[in-house]
Amino acid sequence: MRKIHLITFGCQMNKLDSELAAEALAGAGHALVASEAEADLVLFNTCSVRDRAERRVLSRLAQLRPRREAEPGFRLGLMGCFAERDGARLLERLPYLDFAVGTRQFARLPEIVARLDYGRERIGFFGGRAEAEGDPGIGPASPRKRHSGLHGFVSVMRGCDNRCSYCIVPETRGGEVSRPPLEVAAEARALVLAGAREITLLGQNIDAYRKGSGFGLADLLRLIDREISGDAGLLRLRFVTSHPRDITRELAAAVREFPRAARHFHMPAQSGSDGVLARMRRGYDLAAYRERLAMLREEVPGAAVASDFIVGFPGETEADFLATLDLVERSGFQNSFIFKYSPRPGTPAARDFADDVPEEEKRRRNRVLLAAQDRVNRERGAGLIGTRLTVLAEGPSPRDPDRWIGRTDGNLICVFPPPVQGSDRAGSLLELEVLSASSLTLFCRLAPGGAAKP
Ligand code: SAH
Ligand code: SF4
Ligand code: F3S
């Protein structure tokens, strides 16, 4: 039996896959260990979304090469998106890599790890269909013990059928596959019974859940509400990521009606310029994006909306960039995740357009947008001083154990003095009053008379 150290890069979907992989490996009798030093197998769950994500894995692998060569029995493996995209070539190129397994094949990990003990073969499994029987990401739910504390993640769909011109995800994750609603609900329920208080439903393009079937994401929220409402425990339900083209008024209305649905959407705009959006093949223009944003705020008063942006997309002029800046300045986003364009091999953008915005200029645009979002954050924070907020208390802050942290349903982080009753309040909703605010954190106290809400 092996001692396995699993290192995860990339998005929440990858983190969830790591939990599923760890569960499968533990089920086969292996031990998951917390440090590289005590491991005899280091497994990387990799990301390909930008070049940097791939380079970081390659450099970690190279650092482990001497140990791989000196220590008999020590092994190195890859799973995840980079493994899917380039695993076969990496196995050829890197003699110290023992196996690579793609995003829809990691159910085979126990078998692969067992094979490592025999011979010197190098193992690769790629491709496949997400709904293949036994795929741990999409198959029937088991009452899993895998959730990490208060936050449980459930995959509701995998893959993506969009073809945003810059994006590698459709290649690394394959086409859209939705899980059956009752499986999703059963898994969410199992997580809540195991202690989760907040469930996040995950999908690359989650608004397209069972698109055209007559039972979409809004119905799924209602189903989960009904299935879990008898079990004390579920306090919040979120879902990510929303595509502006597929998000519907019906979904927004379901969020408003379902008291435990977080009033929070992650709906990436990517750019504020129509020309850039067209070259990105996003399927909407600025006016349509603004219209969706207005719709969300109309249906769900006070909704927090977070966005992603790519700066330095091929051909992005100063005027294009200023249109994006204007969108950030005027939209009151809860948060903006900003990325510098990184050409991905084989994507339409990498094939058709030169990466013509200089790195220094990408960096500048990145800084300017971050500063604009920072101003939005500060204004919002200042406006919240003196108001009351409800947070899901998480317990002592990792940075300062004398203070607690919690999150609002819009995902704002609040810091506050520990409640008198102490640890039993972690995982419950508390009413706080905001005393002061920085860009990313609200400093609060327990609201007078604001005991835990039922
Ligand atoms: N499915 C989600 C997220 C995909 S990846 C969605 O469609 O919104 C997360 C973010 O990474 C994207 O929203 C985009 O902003 C960014 N991204 C994707 N490909 C990129 C690339 N080639 N270069 C830079 N950023 C990229
Ligand atoms: Fe990539 Fe676009 Fe699909 Fe998101 S919607 S995963 S950005 S192709
Ligand atoms: Fe996620 Fe990176 Fe893959 S963002 S889907 S792990 S390419």
Side-chain angles (χ1 to χ4, degrees):
M1 292 299 111
R2 287 199 170 262
K3 291 185 213 131
I4 304 171
H5 182 56
L6 176 53
I7 301 171
T8 309
F9 294 85
C11 62
Q12 284 174 327
M13 195 69 91
N14 254 20
K15 292 187 183 116
L16 172 59
D17 286 353
S18 284
E19 291 180 17
L20 296 167
E23 186 191 355
L25 290 165
H30 302 288
L32 276 297
V33 297
S35 80
E36 218 170 83
E38 49 183 321
D40 59 17
L41 166 62
V42 175
L43 172 58
F44 293 91
N45 190 2
T46 58
C47 174
S48 268
V49 77
R50 283 167 290 276
D51 184 52
R52 210 176 95 92
E54 293 186 348
R55 274 188 286 121
R56 279 168 67 202
V57 169
L58 290 177
S59 80
R60 295 285 292 270
L61 269 181
Q63 281 164 11
L64 287 165
R65 176 180 193 169
R67 188 169 161 206
R68 168 69 183 79
E69 284 165 356
E71 197 177 307
F74 182 68
R75 295 288 181 269
L76 293 171
L78 297 183
M79 61 180 280
C81 290
F82 188 20
E84 178 73 36
R85 187 182 84 71
D86 215 18
R89 206 178 57 96
L90 290 172
L91 283 171
E92 269 172 37
R93 225 182 69 194
L94 308 175
Y96 48 96
L97 178 63
D98 295 285
F99 67 88
V101 54
T103 51
R104 284 152 288 168
Q105 296 278 351
F106 67 91
R108 292 175 182 262
L109 274 170
E111 169 204 328
I112 293 170
V113 171
R115 274 162 64 179
L116 293 176
D117 295 334
Y118 307 95
R120 315 269 343 131
E121 65 165 337
R122 331 221 5 264
I123 310 167
F125 288 110
F126 313 102
R129 291 173 65 78
E131 66 270 54
E133 202 187 325
D135 184 313
I138 206 90
S142 61
R144 293 178 169 129
K145 304 175 301 230
R146 63 174 160 77
H147 79 95
S148 33
L150 298 174
H151 302 284
F153 293 90
V154 180
S155 149
V156 312
M157 61 183 299
R158 304 223 141 208
C160 183
D161 282 349
N162 290 324
R163 286 284 180 276
C164 302
S165 62
Y166 50 81
C167 185
I168 198 74
V169 171
E171 184 189 324
T172 63
R173 293 264 169 188
E176 283 169 8
V177 181
S178 297
R179 284 177 80 186
L182 288 173
E183 265 176 38
V184 173
E187 187 169 336
R189 187 163 195 271
L191 288 171
V192 170
L193 291 175
R197 291 294 166 263
E198 178 175 302
I199 298 284
T200 303
L201 306 177
L202 296 181
Q204 293 297 343
N205 181 19
I206 199 164
D207 303 329
Y209 177 70
R210 300 184 93 233
K211 206 174 174 179
S213 73
F215 188 103
L217 186 59
D219 305 292
L220 182 67
L221 294 184
R222 285 196 201 97
L223 175 74
I224 293 177
D225 185 30
R226 212 178 54 224
E227 288 286 305
I228 310 193
S229 57
D231 309 321
L234 178 66
L235 298 175
R236 268 183 198 156
L237 184 63
R238 301 180 190 283
F239 53 89
V240 285
T241 304
S242 290
H243 193 291
R245 203 194 43 221
D246 291 323
I247 198 162
T248 60
R249 193 172 279 277
E250 193 205 353
L251 176 65
V255 167
R256 186 189 61 231
E257 285 156 22
F258 174 22
R260 281 165 291 196
R263 297 181 164 222
H264 181 246
F265 300 88
H266 186 179
M267 184 174 75
Q270 309 297 0
S271 171
S273 151
D274 285 346
V276 172
L277 287 169
R279 288 200 300 286
M280 287 178 164
R281 302 194 194 165
R282 286 290 287 177
Y284 54 84
D285 58 11
L286 177 62
Y289 184 84
R290 283 193 194 280
E291 186 264 313
R292 289 297 155 99
L293 193 58
M295 180 277 286
L296 291 180
R297 296 210 158 119
E298 192 184 303
E299 289 290 331
V300 188
V305 183
S307 180
D308 296 355
F309 291 97
I310 296 176
V311 292
F313 188 77
E316 187 188 64
T317 62
E318 182 64 14
D320 292 326
F321 173 66
L322 290 175
T324 301
L325 181 60
D326 183 65
L327 182 63
V328 169
E329 283 173 338
R330 299 209 297 176
S331 303
F333 289 123
Q334 190 75 348
N335 198 353
S336 288
F337 300 92
I338 300 160
F339 307 103
K340 291 178 290 171
Y341 172 68
S342 167
R344 309 310 301 128
T347 57
R351 205 177 46 232
D352 300 343
F353 309 124
D355 181 16
D356 58 0
V357 178
E359 177 61 25
E360 183 45 45
E361 182 58 16
K362 286 182 187 170
R363 244 180 273 150
R364 186 190 69 85
R365 292 178 188 179
N366 192 357
R367 269 198 313 271
V368 172
L369 267 198
L370 277 174
Q373 181 62 42
D374 192 64
R375 286 194 298 276
V376 171
N377 294 349
R378 284 174 195 283
E379 250 169 60
R380 177 186 57 229
L384 287 170
I385 291 171
T387 63
R388 284 180 169 219
L389 297 172
T390 304
V391 301
L392 177 59
E394 294 181 3
S397 152
R399 285 202 210 139
D400 176 0
D402 291 338
R403 294 198 290 178
W404 274 34
I405 57 166
R407 275 169 213 270
T408 66
D409 74 341
N411 242 347
L412 292 175
I413 297 172
C414 297
V415 176
F416 52 98
V420 210
Q421 290 93 329
S423 61
D424 60 322
R425 306 292 280 280
S428 61
L429 295 178
L430 299 177
E431 286 262 309
L432 303 183
E433 184 185 326
V434 183
L435 300 175
S436 66
S438 70
S439 171
L440 294 173
T441 311
L442 302 174
F443 300 93
C444 306
R445 65 172 181 189
L446 290 167
K453 301 223 304 191

